[in-house]
Amino acid sequence: MVFGVLIGAAEMLSPGSYTNVEYTWLHLAPAPGPFPNGLSLVAGTLVDPISALMLLVVTIVGFAVMLYSIEYMHHDSGLPRYYSELSLFLAAMSGLVISDNLLEFFIFWELVGVCSYFLIGFYYDKPSAASAAKEAFIVTRVGDVMFLLGIFIYFYHYALAGPIGSGGWAANGFVFTRGSQPFLASSVRGSSTLLTVAGIMILGGAAGKSAQFPLHVWLPDAMEGPTTVSALIHAATMVAAGVYLLAVASLFLGFTSFDLLLIVAIGGFTAFFAATMAVVHPDIKRVIAYSTISQLGYMVLAIGAGFAMLGLFHLFTHAFFKALLFLAAGSVIHAIGTQDLFKMGGLRKTMRLTAAAFAIGGLALAGIPPFAGFWSKDDILAAVYSDLGSHPAYWPFFLLAYAAVFLTAYYIFRAWFLAFSGEKPRDPTLPEAHEAPWVMRIPMIILSALAVGGGLLIFWPSFDSLLLYGNGVGGIPPVYGSTEIVLSSVSVLLAGGGILLAWRLWGNGRVFVLAETAAAQSLRRLLLNRYYFKVGYDWIGLNGVYTVARAADFFDRYVIDGTVHGFERTFALLSDRLRRIQSGFVSDYASYVVAGLILVFVLLLLIAPYLVSAWGGI
């Protein structure tokens, strides 16, 4: 089945290949108002070059993780639950990438989110894992609410208030296709305030799922799940979904110019911002997690600059070398039982294949040719640079992304040198390291091959044409002229400088110790505490959200419930008083009747003059 999906998806990579199957899910009959011709909400599948590319990523990495898990998770008592959740996760991601409309897309999007909650909190008996799962769920829900609002705004604008141009939105509200062809945005949408807000909402949804600033805080803590889950979530599924959403929205819907600038700003800043935190972290999995956030920033930058397909190309290559890095880290953790880089050392001698796999993943991540990351990352930098003349506001974020190249190479090889170089582990209590079993080594070998050769697909004519997909809306890759060669050369030199600095400080078993009195210690503490964003969010939760919740509880208890209970007590008191009138004595009832007659007589005497005057007037 896996190989069938691979072959089918590969055949769909050629531009012009589309398979679209739709079924009417809900139909509203024609009626006066916004839908004189009725409205059909559809559920369908769209397999085009974009979704085919994503299916390849999900299938290959999912297969590798499943195979690796046979040995890595075999000792766990929750294995049936693990495979059930992992399978549901992969099914949800596959459904997401072939959805042909935003409503169906959102349903699978939420299913991916709830599966991530289950898997991150797989070791739910550990307080830290349970807390990380809740954190991921809550932070991504913030983005999901924004995404849903964006869907509503787009639906209102295109289906209710009248579409811009013609297309499937007018007829079906949410679909990406017009007949058998994709409904591609022909240009950047205008400067409508409503469309700008919709684009910001879509960006919010993508930022939550793909851990972009300022909704990035959940991803490092998500390392509490099994390493195999980290490899899947952070390489090919959940975090990739946000980038995929932005690419789909860019190609099918279009963004306003303000939205594009905001997307570029978020992507470029996040690429640098996350890389700075990775340079000091002692946890091998969290270093790779920060690199995920940073590399997703490159993809978002490309999409915002108008090069959506180049962003997806980097997503494609990144999935392989990032999954490889996580699985290599998992092999180390499986062997010695720790994630602390400062306890490791000398593992190259006893774990040669794992050390080579981690080095290959690191070289691809750093963008060293001919590894896969070089082709996709440098294409993004060259494409954005080519667009700076018409968009000078992109300059600061391009420079931040360029600077992140140096930091990326430094932190990933800092991790390699700490773990694998030297003579022996720095912690003598660690068990003797051993290479992983073959069932774990085979996925690493497969991913190593893809991390080396995956980027070379750019020289395959059909794949190169895929980067032109969308009639230019996805951005045309730049011609490889002298400017692009200079940019790539500088990028490789920056990466080489990062590797050299990492070797100088951490190579051959060295451990660079920063003096406690050094001025840089305050910066190191700032980075280790993630710029105090998590502390700030916790403070907002405790002092902001909790205060609002207490105020709402007070209003509910003493205003709403108090009003209801007040009426209840008032009528209960009145009924009690009236009940006592029923004495059962005939004389009392006769008195009531006489009193009533007297009252009626008095009232008649009082209003009689007014009745006579009114009658005379008539």
Side-chain angles (χ1 to χ4, degrees):
M1 180 178 177
V2 171
F3 295 107
V5 173
L6 290 176
I7 294 170
E11 290 177 351
M12 296 297 295
L13 285 178
S14 299
S17 301
Y18 308 99
T19 299
N20 181 225
V21 179
E22 291 183 353
Y23 298 93
T24 300
W25 176 37
L26 177 66
H27 179 72
L28 300 179
F35 304 113
N37 299 319
L39 174 70
S40 294
L41 299 180
V42 300
T45 58
L46 171 64
V47 181
D48 63 353
I50 302 175
S51 55
L53 187 69
M54 288 296 297
L55 280 175
L56 282 173
V57 169
V58 173
T59 304
I60 293 172
V61 177
F63 171 74
V65 169
M66 285 283 196
L67 182 61
Y68 186 95
S69 298
I70 293 174
E71 175 63 28
Y72 189 82
M73 297 293 293
H74 81 280
H75 62 284
D76 200 290
S77 60
L79 200 59
R81 175 167 55 90
Y82 170 81
Y83 276 113
S84 298
E85 292 168 356
L86 209 63
S87 299
L88 181 60
F89 200 168
L90 288 168
M93 190 64 194
S94 300
L96 183 148
V97 300
I98 62 174
S99 296
D100 77 338
N101 63 87
L102 275 179
L103 191 59
E104 184 180 346
F105 190 105
F106 184 77
I107 292 171
F108 283 112
W109 176 278
E110 289 300 296
L111 190 55
V112 167
V114 75
C115 288
S116 69
Y117 170 75
F118 294 147
L119 288 168
I120 293 169
F122 181 76
Y123 302 119
Y124 57 86
D125 52 342
K126 289 175 56 181
S128 58
S131 176
K134 288 186 288 185
E135 180 186 19
F137 191 78
I138 292 170
V139 173
T140 54
R141 289 294 76 71
V142 173
D144 293 354
V145 170
M146 296 178 71
F147 179 24
L148 188 59
L149 290 174
I151 293 175
F152 290 157
I153 295 171
Y154 272 127
F155 180 73
Y156 169 80
H157 187 83
Y158 287 106
L160 300 184
I164 296 177
S166 60
W169 280 88
N172 298 295
F174 295 104
V175 300
F176 296 142
T177 58
R178 178 174 55 228
S180 61
Q181 296 299 312
F183 178 36
L184 293 171
S186 58
S187 63
V188 175
R189 295 303 186 188
S191 58
S192 164
T193 301
L194 194 62
L195 284 177
T196 298
V197 173
I200 293 172
M201 295 297 105
I202 295 294
L203 174 59
K209 221 50 157 203
S210 291
Q212 295 296 282
F213 177 87
L215 300 179
H216 62 281
V217 293
W218 66 269
L219 194 143
D221 292 332
M223 298 300 104
E224 292 291 341
T227 305
T228 49
V229 169
S230 302
L232 192 60
I233 290 179
H234 304 141
T237 53
M238 181 174 173
V239 296
V243 173
Y244 183 66
L245 169 63
L246 279 183
V248 165
S250 174
L251 290 167
F252 292 120
L253 308 178
F255 288 110
T256 66
S257 52
F258 178 83
D259 288 335
L260 292 176
L261 175 59
L262 187 59
I263 293 170
V264 166
I266 293 294
F269 177 76
T270 304
F272 179 81
F273 175 74
T276 60
M277 292 181 280
V279 300
V280 297
H281 213 286
D283 188 307
I284 188 170
K285 285 178 64 176
R286 280 174 167 77
V287 168
I288 304 172
Y290 283 120
S291 81
T292 299
I293 302 173
S294 180
Q295 295 302 303
L296 291 168
Y298 281 105
M299 303 171 204
V300 172
L301 171 68
I303 294 169
F307 302 93
M309 290 310 303
L310 291 183
L312 289 179
F313 179 35
H314 193 50
L315 187 155
F316 176 77
T317 60
H318 170 264
F320 302 132
F321 61 74
K322 186 51 57 68
L324 174 62
L325 287 169
F326 270 118
L327 295 188
S331 178
V332 170
I333 297 167
H334 182 267
I336 60 176
T338 182
Q339 298 175 197
D340 191 341
L341 286 165
F342 289 96
K343 293 182 179 181
M344 302 177 189
L347 299 180
R348 182 187 72 256
K349 295 182 177 180
T350 53
M351 304 182 70
R352 295 186 181 279
L353 189 143
T354 299
F358 199 98
I360 290 171
L363 290 167
L365 175 64
I368 301 298
F371 297 90
F374 164 76
W375 305 102
S376 54
K377 182 262 296 175
D378 273 38
D379 268 2
I380 289 173
L381 293 174
V384 175
Y385 180 82
S386 70
D387 206 35
L388 293 177
S390 54
H391 297 92
Y394 293 176
W395 263 109
F397 311 107
F398 168 77
L399 293 175
L400 285 174
Y402 217 75
V405 173
F406 174 83
L407 295 178
T408 300
Y410 169 75
Y411 68 65
I412 198 61
F413 277 92
R414 166 184 172 269
W416 192 92
F417 289 127
L418 279 172
F420 296 102
S421 71
E423 296 299 321
K424 59 182 180 180
R426 281 171 286 277
D427 184 351
T429 64
L430 293 179
E432 184 177 352
H434 58 276
E435 189 57 87
W438 274 106
V439 75
M440 292 172 63
R441 279 184 268 180
I442 290 173
M444 288 193 288
I445 293 172
I446 294 172
L447 292 172
S448 295
L450 291 168
V452 173
L456 299 177
L457 285 175
I458 197 171
F459 296 107
W460 178 31
S462 294
F463 193 85
D464 187 47
S465 299
L466 178 61
L467 301 183
L468 306 176
Y469 177 73
N471 299 322
V473 180
I476 299 175
V479 177
Y480 293 101
S482 58
T483 302
E484 287 70 36
I485 292 174
V486 170
L487 285 171
S488 289
S489 299
V490 174
S491 174
V492 172
L493 286 174
L494 284 173
I499 296 173
L500 183 62
L501 179 62
W503 176 83
R504 181 68 182 83
L505 298 178
W506 312 97
N508 292 332
R510 290 188 293 270
V511 176
F512 175 73
V513 179
L514 188 65
E516 286 297 326
T517 57
Q521 276 290 1
S522 58
L523 177 60
R524 179 176 176 273
R525 284 191 292 270
L526 179 68
L527 297 178
L528 282 174
N529 286 284
R530 310 188 220 177
Y531 294 93
Y532 296 99
F533 265 89
K534 184 172 172 57
V535 175
Y537 285 151
D538 289 343
W539 184 90
I540 291 172
L542 289 173
N543 298 281
V545 177
Y546 185 59
T547 300
V548 171
R550 289 184 62 184
D553 179 68
F554 178 86
F555 185 81
D556 179 57
R557 288 175 182 271
Y558 298 104
V559 178
I560 297 177
D561 288 352
T563 302
V564 173
H565 293 321
F567 277 112
E568 175 194 357
R569 285 190 292 268
T570 300
F571 285 111
L573 182 62
L574 289 174
S575 65
D576 183 65
R577 295 291 185 268
L578 290 173
R579 179 179 60 79
R580 296 181 182 183
I581 295 175
Q582 305 296 322
S583 63
F585 295 106
V586 175
S587 57
D588 289 344
Y589 297 151
S591 301
Y592 301 151
V593 171
V594 171
L597 290 173
I598 293 172
L599 180 60
V600 170
F601 182 72
V602 170
L603 290 174
L604 287 174
L605 288 177
L606 291 174
I607 66 174
Y610 298 103
L611 292 175
V612 171
S613 175
W615 184 264
I618 294 174

